[in-house]
Amino acid sequence: MTDNTISSAVVIGAGIFGVSTGVQLARRGIRVTILNDGPPANGASGRSLSWLNSARMRSGPYHRLRMAGIDRYRTLAARNANADWLRFDGGLTWDAEDERNEIDAAYRHEVSLAYDAQRLSAADVAGVTPGIDATAITPQGAIFNPGEGWVDLPALIGLLLEEFSALGGVLVTDQGTARAVIEGGRAVGAETATGGRIRADAVVLATGPAVPRMAAESGQSISDGTPVALLVQTRPLAHSLRAVLNTPRVAVRPAPGSTFSLDADWAADEGVKLRADGGYDIDNSVVAALLAEAAKVMEGNPKLEVATIGVGGKPIPGDGEPVVGAFKEIPGYYVAFSHSGATLGLIVGELLAYEVATGFEHPMLATFRPERFSLN
């Protein structure tokens, strides 16, 4: 399909939102260049837990967008049946044993939405999904969501970039931070830190945690709730765990090559300090504590060892809802900024490319537009 509204676009950012949007635009016959300050997936996409879900409570439009996102992954999984980077083996969650435990309310909410959910006692878990130490589950029980899964975003981004290149797309890396070029009140392209300039009919800003700052450089306001995140990747370990675990002290996600990805908000809060030069110092004792928490929820309490540690901003808009669509005050300038980048990665690229290519607004993005921040 070829659209006539625009003939060229430049995407700033080679994470999942940028690459997904770039591929979708290229499929429509549009000439696309993706700019990135380093190699692809070197930002938030490279350190994401990448749990594919719409569990718990959120707004109706956000839930529907996430469900559409999961649908696209199911199609992708059907076409890549043997992939070790995309699995739908379910998700298991439980809360702490205190007044904040919301398992009952969360279960009732999910059932009301027809979200596939099973309420389980600790004794029930082993018969539903393997690899969990049931003694870690609190008396209120757990929720198992059979339709949830996970994706390894760097692997997916690599696959999408192969198609992008085959469609004639151009990837430019390691040219420093790029910026949108605004002339005559509209976006006309992008410029790299080294001075290279690419003219285009449309510009897409998809730089993860840097989006609010970069948008502000063009006078556009996006509320920012981005925290620092820490993701630990383990060394290979033979273990039966298949589901993604979201527990009071740790999230555990299987990963390619018999490895596991671990994260927890407390670990980032306690174990990461920002240096004056913009880098991060990591407290190894906190990393060791995170490994120990993960071992406690896994059957047999295995010894887990660190392979890599990723640290950096976790993109979260100030109101928690995605920010997707055009900057109305600057024609030709678009943005994609959200938490749940993995779950939304394919659908946001698809819908944003539709808007860029056709000039029409997609109704599923109606509540997520960036102008909501300028109206407050």
Side-chain angles (χ1 to χ4, degrees):
M1 175 180 177
T2 300
D3 296 283
N4 298 320
T5 304
I6 68 167
S7 62
S8 61
V10 59
V11 178
I12 305 175
I16 186 57
F17 283 161
V19 172
S20 176
T21 305
V23 169
Q24 290 284 347
L25 288 168
R27 287 175 182 173
R28 291 174 172 270
I30 293 168
R31 289 183 287 107
V32 186
T33 301
I34 298 176
L35 303 178
N36 205 52
D37 56 359
N42 66 329
S45 292
R47 52 178 183 270
S48 168
L49 187 69
S50 305
W51 170 29
L52 305 177
N53 78 94
S54 190
R56 301 287 180 140
M57 293 82 141
R58 56 184 49 82
S59 71
Y62 194 9
H63 173 70
R64 288 189 290 274
L65 187 66
R66 291 170 74 108
M67 292 304 292
I70 293 170
D71 172 78
R72 299 306 188 270
Y73 276 106
R74 289 197 171 281
T75 301
L76 185 66
R79 294 173 178 169
N80 296 271
N82 297 320
D84 67 350
W85 45 266
L86 175 59
R87 301 291 304 171
F88 281 98
D89 293 319
L92 186 75
T93 183
W94 66 88
D95 290 353
E97 188 182 0
D98 56 30
E99 67 281 357
R100 294 169 296 175
N101 190 294
E102 295 183 338
I103 284 296
D104 183 62
Y107 173 70
R108 286 186 283 108
H109 177 73
E110 291 177 7
V111 169
S112 76
L113 298 173
Y115 189 70
D116 197 358
Q118 301 173 20
R119 182 77 182 271
L120 303 176
S121 69
D124 296 330
V125 169
V128 175
T129 185
I132 294 102
D133 186 334
T135 65
I137 299 172
T138 48
Q140 294 87 344
I143 300 171
F144 181 64
N145 302 110
E148 295 179 352
W150 59 268
V151 63
D152 183 76
L153 284 181
L156 172 59
I157 288 169
L159 180 72
L160 294 176
L161 284 173
E162 290 179 10
E163 181 184 355
F164 179 71
S165 177
L167 291 170
V170 176
L171 173 65
V172 179
T173 63
D174 302 300
Q175 298 298 303
T177 301
R179 67 175 186 89
V181 176
I182 313 297
E183 293 178 357
R186 69 164 291 119
V188 297
E191 184 176 63
T192 68
T194 57
R197 181 172 287 203
I198 296 157
R199 305 286 295 192
D201 299 321
V203 178
V204 176
L205 179 62
T207 52
V211 162
R213 173 184 57 77
M214 295 178 71
E217 292 171 356
S218 301
Q220 304 303 298
S221 176
I222 294 178
S223 178
D224 188 15
T226 296
V228 172
L230 177 148
L231 186 83
V232 173
Q233 194 78 20
T234 74
R235 292 181 178 174
L237 171 74
H239 197 272
S240 60
L241 180 65
R242 295 294 176 266
V244 180
L245 303 185
N246 187 20
T247 82
R249 290 286 292 173
V250 64
V252 183
R253 188 260 288 174
S258 299
T259 64
F260 294 90
S261 297
L262 321 174
D263 82 354
D265 291 343
W266 63 265
D269 293 342
E270 299 174 16
V272 179
K273 287 186 170 52
L274 179 65
R275 299 195 303 261
D277 63 2
Y280 297 96
D281 289 324
I282 301 171
D283 186 333
N284 290 330
S285 67
V286 173
V287 173
L290 181 64
L291 292 169
E293 293 290 349
K296 289 178 185 177
V297 301
M298 297 172 66
E299 186 175 32
N301 309 130
K303 178 176 175 54
L304 300 172
E305 299 180 337
V306 175
T308 62
I309 301 174
V311 178
K314 178 191 293 185
I316 301 180
D319 62 3
E321 297 271 300
V323 184
V324 187
F327 289 117
K328 296 293 177 62
E329 296 179 4
I330 307 177
Y333 198 10
Y334 298 81
V335 64
F337 174 58
S338 183
H339 185 37
S340 308
T343 301
L344 300 181
L346 297 179
I347 193 64
V348 161
E350 178 184 325
L351 301 186
L352 186 56
Y354 166 85
E355 295 201 344
V356 173
T358 68
F360 295 114
E361 293 186 344
H362 196 286
M364 284 194 74
L365 299 179
T367 64
F368 305 129
R369 304 198 179 283
E371 64 262 27
R372 70 182 187 267
F373 299 109
S374 62
L375 297 175
N376 293 335

